[in-house]
Each structure stands twice: as C-alpha cells, then as structure tokens.
Amino acid sequence: MNGDHRRRIDQAIIDLINDVYKSHLRKMQSEMHLCAANCCDDLYRQPSMDSVQGCIEDCAGPLLRAQDYMQHELGQFQGRLRNCLMQCNDGVRGRIPTNTHQSDISKYANQFELCTGQCVDKYIGLVPKMMKTMKSVLENGPTIVDQM
C-alpha cells in the first residue's frame, strides 16, 4: 500500500473517530465527570472512600464500554482491510514466474498497487455505514454495547 492509500484510509478513520466523539463520546465523557463529581459530593449516600471509588467506577462504565466497542469495531475493520491487502499480495506473487526479469517487476508492482487501491476504495466506502452502525449502537446505550 503506497503513502497516498495509507493517508486516505487513515484520514477516513480519523474523521470517523472525530465524528463519533463529537456526536456521542464527548457527551458521555461529560456525563461521566458530572456523575463522578456527584459521588464525591454525596457524603450521606457515599460515606466511605471505597463506596465513593465504586460510585466513580460505575460512572465510568458506560464510556469505557463505548470505547471498548469502538476499539473492537475498528480492529475488525482493520483486520478485514489487512486481509484484502494480503490477498492482493498473494495474488500478485502467485503470478510472478520464478525467473522474472527485473524489467518485468514494475508490471507486477503496478498490479499490486492497483489491487491495494481497490481495497482502500472499498473499505473507505464502508466507513459511512460503519459510522452509522456505531452511532446507532451508542444511541441505544450501554446495554447494547455490553452485548458486543
């Protein structure tokens, strides 16, 4: 995969993460901090240090589950992209004769770049659907994220 392909896929993922952060995770982060502050302020329901710490950990749960979900989905996406790229590599290598001349190598390199470009295009095309799915799961709350 050449530098342009790498930049395009990286930018698509960065844009997805930023969008989901702005639309969902940032609000969850704010709610987590407000909840944790309430744990510290509530001296009557949370009298001990351990109960305050448990309350704070409970506040962090939804955000942590959401982040775990996103990491899982992005890992799956990267794995599928990597498999596509490996198929390109295997496909081109399988066509190279054993006694290939150096002048013919560029032909196979071009075939590999064409194939990897098609993988990148395909997976960039899947990003909007993945973003929509992530937002839908996050909108339905941590109970949905727990099932992932």
Side-chain angles (χ1 to χ4, degrees):
M1 183 163 56
N2 68 30
D4 182 51
H5 295 151
R6 167 69 55 203
R7 279 187 295 282
R8 288 177 55 229
I9 199 76
D10 287 349
Q11 191 59 53
I13 296 300
I14 289 167
D15 291 347
L16 176 141
I17 291 168
N18 286 337
D19 190 312
V20 173
Y21 175 75
K22 289 175 188 173
S23 66
H24 291 80
L25 297 179
R26 190 170 183 164
K27 183 176 188 291
M28 293 176 82
Q29 206 170 24
S30 175
E31 290 169 353
M32 176 196 70
H33 288 294
L34 292 171
C35 177
N38 286 333
C39 293
C40 295
D41 290 342
D42 190 355
L43 298 174
Y44 298 106
R45 286 194 346 212
Q46 310 294 343
S48 72
M49 185 171 61
D50 288 341
S51 62
V52 170
Q53 187 60 36
C55 180
I56 291 170
E57 289 171 8
D58 289 344
C59 293
L63 178 62
L64 293 174
R65 288 188 294 274
Q67 290 171 334
D68 286 347
Y69 164 72
M70 286 195 58
Q71 285 179 335
H72 173 77
E73 291 301 308
L74 291 171
Q76 296 282 73
F77 177 84
Q78 289 174 328
R80 290 189 299 269
L81 173 61
R82 188 173 34 256
N83 287 342
C84 187
L85 298 172
M86 288 173 62
Q87 288 175 350
C88 291
N89 186 47
D90 293 346
V92 171
R93 281 184 182 231
R95 284 182 258 153
I96 299 175
T98 52
N99 55 353
T100 301
H101 291 75
Q102 189 62 33
S103 61
D104 294 331
I105 295 295
S106 65
K107 176 178 94 170
Y108 295 107
N110 288 338
Q111 289 175 4
F112 176 73
E113 285 303 317
L114 178 65
C115 183
T116 59
Q118 290 170 343
C119 286
V120 168
D121 290 342
K122 174 183 176 182
Y123 281 87
I124 286 175
L126 296 174
V127 168
K129 183 176 187 245
M130 184 170 66
M131 184 183 316
K132 183 179 177 183
T133 300
M134 284 179 162
K135 286 180 176 183
S136 176
V137 168
L138 293 174
E139 283 169 11
N140 288 311
T143 56
I144 299 298
V145 176
D146 284 340
Q147 296 171 4
M148 294 294 148

